[in-house]
Amino acid sequence: MNKPTPIDHDVEERVRESFTCQNLINTLNGVIAHISPGELHIIAPFDERFTQQDGFLHAGVVTTLMDSACGYAAYTLMPENSRVLSVEFKVNFLSPAVGEHFRAEGRVVKSGKTISVCEGKFFALQDEGEKLVAMMQATMICIHDNGK
Amino acid sequence: MNKPTPIDHDVEERVRESFTCQNLINTLNGVIAHISPGELHIIAPFDERFTQQDGFLHAGVVTTLMDSACGYAAYTLMPENSRVLSVEFKVNFLSPAVGEHFRAEGRVVKSGKTISVCEGKFFALQDEGEKLVAMMQATMICIHDNGK
Amino acid sequence: MNKPTPIDHDVEERVRESFTCQNLINTLNGVIAHISPGELHIIAPFDERFTQQDGFLHAGVVTTLMDSACGYAAYTLMPENSRVLSVEFKVNFLSPAVGEHFRAEGRVVKSGKTISVCEGKFFALQDEGEKLVAMMQATMICIHDNGK
Amino acid sequence: MNKPTPIDHDVEERVRESFTCQNLINTLNGVIAHISPGELHIIAPFDERFTQQDGFLHAGVVTTLMDSACGYAAYTLMPENSRVLSVEFKVNFLSPAVGEHFRAEGRVVKSGKTISVCEGKFFALQDEGEKLVAMMQATMICIHDNGK
């Protein structure tokens, strides 16, 4: 709604560094398209290697990208020396994932010391406009790494 | 518990044919390890290309394999000239996906004319034995193709 | 966002008639606070009979009210001679349900011929303002009653 | 499978004491029918006050009883001076809740220091036998009360 708060430079660097270590997201050619406190978007292209039996992007890839968008959205609000893990998520599939590009959006609804709750949305970017493909409700956990 | 009913030959062929068309599962090197009415298992190897930031198999891949196992488990009970699609699923992650091989199990709990409910389990196959990594509760829908 | 479309009079009557038959919602003293195409809100008071061990409104009541709000939101878009049933839902609990009144909101995200996907939100109405207590992602099914 | 380990007397007392404080469960006339480490069952009678529009037990009551069974199943494995809260759950409804009595079963699948994952099942007890009505996958959190 309002203009988003710009993200702290150190936090952004920490998020991008962890993101780069997600081999699967690199394999899917996903890139960060937006990052602000509590929100992160990933854009990825269609790729024939990742389709299901009808030629649509596989539900698993749709899920992967939303999970990463939600996890890193939560991570933008977590302290230094912490890691983020998915506790669980639930996804509803609304339309076939047909398009040349896709955008996964992750947004924190409630950020707690241990548990964060996020919502994800997945859009197909088509010539006629954007189409909502799937939606996620996810629980993330903050693992506090001890010193060293 | 009991010895599973052997699957009808035509049904098995139909399932395997559709399975082969899942490019993503081929990309993940997933193969069918068990098929019986209402149940299907997929085995896939660890692959560095599909990891998350800590080097474990990504939650999205864990989900993909369980989703396919559940979807095809449901498909074994669906009629000819039908297709199966995921309506939604929910996954809990219990342990890191660490291992050289993994097994995704899909099992139909309730098979209806339109809606089928399945449960999935995901195991890491380690030297010390098997470890439960994640569990899924999924809703599948049967799309009846008309005529032709 | 925009001014909501007013609801058709016959549809509203059909929804209110079915709503009145929900004994549980009557027992919880829930009343419809808003109805428009694809959206329905229910307001209910705090009641000591329905609390959990810490004196908050029980998660099951929170869920019940959101489930009914979502189900009837979906029902506003369903044809005559149909019924609505919950296929499944998932709820995240964000804050304790503390307050004198509560509002459950149901909203259709995608309305299909058979399957509708809804999101629910549950607010505690407190002196200091409203607080988001829980959120739901739900799948509803339309049962077409045959003729007669 | 195996004979269940008998539950520690102090743990059982702690669980039963908290259970008694759940006003909603008392209102629903739910009683503990089984308790062992990591597992708890609740039995409740049919009651017209808690039905939905078709005269079946409301999905919200089905959920309430499974949520409590799962939460207290998790609580049997938690330490003294702790409390249990529901983080989230997901329920699939398989058959109408028709019967004179019902049994909600909660079972811990993975018990962690902070997070426990449970599965719930809900059976209608009918003359012809038991019928599976619904199934739940739930995440519970252990709140460690400090000192005192």
Side-chain angles (χ1 to χ4, degrees):
Chain A
M1 307 285 185
N2 308 326
K3 207 173 134 207
T5 324
I7 196 163
D8 179 86
H9 179 264
D10 287 357
V11 173
E12 176 165 353
E13 210 166 309
R14 176 160 55 84
V15 170
R16 288 188 182 275
E17 202 178 305
S18 173
F19 188 87
T20 309
C21 300
Q22 289 225 331
N23 286 357
L24 176 58
I25 302 298
N26 293 329
T27 300
L28 297 173
N29 291 307
V31 294
I32 295 180
H34 168 87
I35 177 168
S36 59
E39 185 157 350
L40 191 137
H41 301 180
I42 300 170
I43 287 193
F46 178 81
D47 189 321
E48 278 221 337
R49 291 174 299 161
F50 309 133
T51 54
Q52 40 84 280
Q53 70 277 19
D54 302 310
F56 311 142
L57 200 67
H58 196 286
V61 174
V62 171
T63 301
T64 298
L65 291 166
M66 278 195 292
D67 173 42
S68 286
C70 285
Y72 283 113
Y75 195 46
T76 61
L77 303 178
M78 291 180 183
E80 258 191 290
N81 298 317
S82 67
R83 287 176 303 132
V84 61
L85 285 177
S86 303
V87 173
E88 62 83 39
F89 50 62
K90 180 252 203 288
V91 184
N92 271 83
F93 299 95
L94 311 174
S95 325
V98 177
E100 295 201 7
H101 285 86
F102 301 95
R103 187 177 66 249
E105 301 184 357
R107 206 166 285 111
V108 177
V109 178
K110 164 87 188 237
S111 174
K113 214 186 120 199
T114 306
I115 294 291
S116 293
V117 179
C118 301
E119 60 180 20
K121 291 204 190 311
F122 194 85
F123 295 93
L125 312 182
Q126 306 168 336
D127 285 347
E128 322 82 83
E130 301 186 357
K131 189 160 191 184
L132 183 61
V133 165
M135 56 196 279
M136 172 181 275
Q137 201 168 302
T139 308
M140 300 289 163
I141 192 165
C142 178
I143 310 290
H144 299 273
D145 287 336
N146 296 327
K148 279 172 288 183
Chain B
M1 306 285 185
N2 307 327
K3 208 175 135 205
T5 325
I7 197 163
D8 179 86
H9 180 266
D10 287 356
V11 174
E12 176 166 353
E13 210 167 311
R14 176 160 55 84
V15 170
R16 289 190 181 273
E17 201 178 304
S18 173
F19 188 86
T20 310
C21 299
Q22 289 225 330
N23 285 357
L24 176 58
I25 302 297
N26 293 330
T27 301
L28 297 173
N29 290 307
V31 295
I32 296 179
H34 168 88
I35 177 168
S36 60
E39 186 158 348
L40 191 138
H41 302 182
I42 300 171
I43 288 192
F46 178 79
D47 189 320
E48 277 222 337
R49 292 174 297 161
F50 308 134
T51 54
Q52 41 83 280
Q53 71 276 19
D54 302 311
F56 311 142
L57 200 66
H58 196 286
V61 174
V62 171
T63 301
T64 298
L65 292 165
M66 278 195 292
D67 173 41
S68 287
C70 285
Y72 283 113
Y75 196 46
T76 62
L77 303 179
M78 291 180 182
E80 256 192 292
N81 298 318
S82 67
R83 287 177 304 131
V84 60
L85 285 177
S86 303
V87 173
E88 62 82 38
F89 50 62
K90 180 252 203 288
V91 184
N92 272 82
F93 298 96
L94 310 174
S95 326
V98 177
E100 295 201 8
H101 285 85
F102 301 95
R103 187 178 66 249
E105 301 185 358
R107 206 167 285 111
V108 177
V109 177
K110 164 89 188 233
S111 174
K113 213 186 121 198
T114 306
I115 295 290
S116 293
V117 180
C118 301
E119 60 181 19
K121 291 205 191 310
F122 194 86
F123 295 93
L125 312 182
Q126 305 167 338
D127 284 347
E128 321 83 83
E130 301 188 355
K131 189 160 191 184
L132 183 61
V133 166
M135 54 195 280
M136 173 181 274
Q137 201 167 304
T139 309
M140 300 289 162
I141 192 166
C142 178
I143 310 289
H144 299 272
D145 287 335
N146 296 327
K148 280 171 289 185
Chain C
M1 306 289 184
N2 308 327
K3 209 175 135 206
T5 324
I7 195 163
D8 179 86
H9 179 265
D10 287 357
V11 173
E12 176 164 354
E13 210 166 310
R14 175 159 56 83
V15 170
R16 288 189 181 275
E17 202 178 305
S18 173
F19 188 88
T20 310
C21 300
Q22 289 225 328
N23 285 358
L24 176 58
I25 302 296
N26 294 329
T27 300
L28 298 173
N29 291 306
V31 294
I32 296 179
H34 169 86
I35 177 169
S36 59
E39 185 157 349
L40 192 138
H41 301 180
I42 300 171
I43 287 192
F46 178 80
D47 189 319
E48 277 222 337
R49 291 174 299 161
F50 308 133
T51 54
Q52 41 84 280
Q53 70 276 20
D54 302 310
F56 310 141
L57 200 67
H58 196 287
V61 174
V62 171
T63 301
T64 298
L65 292 165
M66 278 195 292
D67 173 41
S68 286
C70 285
Y72 283 114
Y75 195 46
T76 62
L77 303 180
M78 291 180 182
E80 258 192 290
N81 299 318
S82 67
R83 288 176 303 132
V84 60
L85 285 177
S86 303
V87 173
E88 61 83 38
F89 50 62
K90 180 252 202 286
V91 185
N92 272 82
F93 299 95
L94 311 173
S95 325
V98 177
E100 295 202 7
H101 285 85
F102 301 96
R103 188 178 67 249
E105 301 184 359
R107 206 167 284 111
V108 177
V109 178
K110 163 89 188 234
S111 175
K113 215 186 119 196
T114 306
I115 295 291
S116 294
V117 180
C118 301
E119 61 181 18
K121 292 204 187 312
F122 195 85
F123 295 93
L125 312 182
Q126 306 168 338
D127 286 346
E128 322 83 81
E130 302 188 353
K131 190 161 189 184
L132 183 62
V133 166
M135 56 195 279
M136 172 181 274
Q137 201 168 302
T139 309
M140 300 290 163
I141 192 165
C142 177
I143 310 289
H144 299 272
D145 287 336
N146 296 328
K148 281 173 289 186
Chain D
M1 305 286 186
N2 307 327
K3 209 175 134 205
T5 324
I7 196 163
D8 178 86
H9 180 264
D10 287 356
V11 174
E12 176 164 355
E13 212 167 308
R14 174 160 55 83
V15 171
R16 289 190 181 273
E17 203 178 304
S18 173
F19 188 87
T20 310
C21 299
Q22 289 224 329
N23 286 356
L24 176 58
I25 301 297
N26 293 329
T27 300
L28 297 174
N29 291 307
V31 295
I32 295 178
H34 169 86
I35 177 169
S36 59
E39 185 157 351
L40 191 138
H41 302 180
I42 300 171
I43 287 191
F46 178 80
D47 189 320
E48 277 222 337
R49 292 175 298 161
F50 309 133
T51 53
Q52 40 85 279
Q53 70 275 19
D54 301 311
F56 311 141
L57 200 66
H58 196 285
V61 173
V62 171
T63 301
T64 298
L65 292 165
M66 277 195 291
D67 173 41
S68 286
C70 285
Y72 283 113
Y75 196 47
T76 61
L77 303 179
M78 290 180 183
E80 258 192 289
N81 299 318
S82 68
R83 288 176 303 132
V84 62
L85 285 177
S86 303
V87 173
E88 62 83 37
F89 50 61
K90 181 253 202 286
V91 185
N92 271 82
F93 299 96
L94 311 173
S95 326
V98 177
E100 296 202 7
H101 285 86
F102 301 96
R103 187 178 68 247
E105 301 185 356
R107 207 167 284 113
V108 177
V109 178
K110 164 88 189 235
S111 175
K113 215 186 120 196
T114 306
I115 295 291
S116 293
V117 179
C118 301
E119 60 180 21
K121 292 205 189 312
F122 194 85
F123 295 93
L125 313 181
Q126 305 168 338
D127 285 347
E128 323 81 85
E130 301 187 356
K131 189 160 191 184
L132 183 62
V133 166
M135 57 196 277
M136 172 181 275
Q137 201 168 303
T139 309
M140 300 289 163
I141 191 166
C142 178
I143 310 289
H144 298 273
D145 288 336
N146 296 328
K148 281 172 289 184

